[in-house]
Amino acid sequence: MGQRMQAAGGCLTAAVGAGAGLAVWSVGVRERFWRFEQAPDWSVLYAELPLMILGGTAAALGCWALLRRLRPRR
């Protein structure tokens, strides 16, 4: 596999991981945002959202790197 394919695979993996983090974050966000019918909890947006996107990206890239290392070289 060439360097361009490796770079494209890594970028695609990062994008898929960010999308997966966003999808996991969006489950039940309305209930987390309006807790106990009080004022909105803005930490859902400025703390949880970036952490889920970065966490999904990091997890996907970690899995990609692990699979690249375990796969035999040609």
Side-chain angles (χ1 to χ4, degrees):
M1 182 183 289
Q3 285 183 333
R4 288 184 180 181
M5 289 297 290
Q6 289 178 4
C11 289
L12 183 62
T13 303
V16 168
L22 182 61
V24 169
W25 173 81
S26 67
V27 174
V29 72
R30 183 169 292 188
E31 290 82 24
R32 290 192 319 265
F33 189 68
W34 293 99
R35 292 189 182 161
F36 306 114
E37 297 185 12
Q38 295 175 353
D41 184 10
W42 294 104
S43 69
V44 171
L45 295 178
Y46 69 79
E48 290 181 16
L49 177 60
L51 287 176
M52 286 301 290
I53 291 175
L54 290 174
T57 302
L61 287 176
C63 290
W64 181 73
L66 181 66
L67 290 175
R68 291 277 309 144
R69 182 158 305 263
L70 293 177
R71 200 177 91 206
R73 303 271 183 218
R74 293 183 189 171

